[in-house]
Amino acid sequence: MSDALSDPIPPQGIDLDRPSVARVYDYYLGGTANWAIDREFGQRVVERFPLVRNIAVANRLFLNRLVRHLTTRGIRQFLDIGAGVPTAGATHQVAAEITDDARVVYVDNEPVAVAHAEILLDEEGNTDRNAVIYGDLRDPDELWSEAMATGILDPDEPIALLMIAVLHVFQPDRETGEDIGAQCVARYRELLPRGSYLGISHITDDGIPPELGPKLAELKAMYDSSSSSNAIWRSRADITALMGDFELVDPGMVWTPEWHPEETGPNAKQIHFSRPNEAVIWAGAGRKP
């Protein structure tokens, strides 16, 4: 029996004509919410760029450390945009390690990610404090309205807005085709109440080892030609600018393995790079004054 024939029936609305960014990322992380077309594409990427699995895991570990860090700072509300498939160590699970009153709303535009999040939250009995919605980050006001309509988040209290490994997925304006990622992030910053946080991680070709430049260019070409979304790499300066006037949390905008490594969970998979910039993802968080 072929790999494709062993796959479960996909949720309604899923596109199996092209690999999905969210499902391929799940494959890199060793998850099961992916289909043959995603695994075939992901394996081709891994063969050409073996570091990609470590890069994905390092990014996931950054998310886990960020959630722990912000929870210890008193944050109890999280809006996780582009959350992807909620594999082990999802935002609500990590926050629950610190406190039992954290609340999370997940957002994604991938039907599989939304369906799996709904199943996970239902199985865990966490639907009173956590929710998932189908949304498009290019519509900040609509997405914000739908997130608040869940009743999970209080718009008058600080919220941690997480945009982890989502902004390097090209988000063109529907009419002009232009990249409006920075414009959208600016609007989200306006919507966040004072005392809130913005957490970002973003692939870059700025500051990486020279030998990885051609690999990233090839990776971008593969995603642009084969997957459901294109890719865009921003410089460290451009990624930092997405924070606007938010106050950067120490240690600032750094490579994913360098952001509070001491807060990595004791049972987390350990990822080692010979040089931090092999992680090719800048990461950081900022606080709204």
Side-chain angles (χ1 to χ4, degrees):
M1 183 169 60
S2 72
D3 184 34
L5 291 177
S6 65
D7 278 336
I9 298 174
Q12 185 176 4
I14 184 175
D15 178 11
L16 291 182
D17 292 332
R18 307 183 76 187
S20 155
V21 170
R23 301 190 316 255
V24 172
Y25 183 61
D26 175 70
Y27 169 75
Y28 296 150
L29 293 174
T32 58
N34 49 75
W35 272 256
I37 193 169
D38 309 307
R39 295 189 291 275
E40 290 165 3
F41 176 79
Q43 187 55 39
R44 281 193 284 119
V45 172
V46 170
E47 289 171 356
R48 299 184 186 187
F49 194 12
L51 270 178
V52 74
R53 285 193 185 276
N54 280 357
I55 290 168
V57 174
N59 181 71
R60 186 70 177 191
L61 292 176
F62 161 69
L63 167 63
N64 294 166
R65 295 195 302 271
L66 175 62
V67 172
R68 288 191 189 95
H69 189 82
L70 296 184
T71 304
T72 58
R73 282 185 169 219
I75 292 296
R76 295 295 181 266
Q77 303 189 111
F78 295 86
L79 178 57
D80 194 339
I81 298 180
V85 178
T87 55
T91 298
H92 73 283
Q93 295 170 333
V94 175
E97 297 173 2
I98 309 297
T99 181
D100 60 3
D101 61 350
R103 304 182 302 282
V104 179
V105 172
Y106 293 105
V107 185
D108 210 282
N109 65 351
E110 162 59 60
V112 169
V114 174
H116 275 262
E118 290 174 338
I119 293 170
L120 176 65
L121 296 177
D122 186 60
E123 289 178 345
E124 294 181 348
N126 279 327
T127 53
D128 59 329
R129 290 183 289 109
N130 305 291
V132 57
I133 61 174
Y134 184 91
D136 190 329
L137 68 79
R138 292 172 296 183
D139 295 321
D141 290 278
E142 177 65 21
L143 188 153
W144 185 266
S145 177
E146 291 184 11
M148 297 307 125
T150 64
I152 300 294
L153 305 178
D154 181 348
D156 296 322
E157 295 295 327
I159 295 170
L161 173 61
L162 308 179
M163 307 187 85
I164 308 302
V166 63
L167 294 170
H168 53 237
V169 177
F170 185 50
Q171 299 291 336
D173 181 270
R174 296 181 183 85
E175 296 181 358
T176 67
E178 297 177 355
D179 173 38
I180 56 173
Q183 175 185 331
C184 291
V185 176
R187 178 56 181 152
Y188 285 113
R189 293 198 308 266
E190 293 176 352
L191 290 166
L192 286 168
R194 293 182 62 182
S196 293
Y197 289 84
L198 171 62
I200 290 174
S201 69
H202 196 301
I203 290 182
T204 185
D205 55 5
D206 177 18
I208 64 173
E211 68 272 17
L212 293 187
K215 291 289 186 182
L216 274 187
E218 185 178 7
L219 178 66
K220 184 180 186 306
M222 291 179 71
Y223 271 85
D224 289 353
S225 64
S226 302
S227 77
S228 59
S229 301
N230 292 345
I232 181 171
W233 310 151
R234 290 182 172 87
S235 68
R236 183 188 187 191
D238 287 341
I239 297 167
T240 303
L242 295 172
M243 293 291 179
D245 63 352
F246 282 25
E247 301 164 348
L248 278 176
V249 175
D250 287 338
M253 191 64 65
V254 296
W255 302 109
T256 47
E258 297 179 315
W259 203 90
H260 289 280
E262 75 282 358
E263 297 190 27
T264 301
N267 299 319
K269 180 179 180 180
Q270 298 301 310
I271 297 297
H272 300 286
F273 296 98
S274 59
R275 293 159 291 178
N277 59 351
E278 288 180 348
V280 306
I281 294 182
W282 290 115
R287 182 181 183 275
K288 185 170 184 175

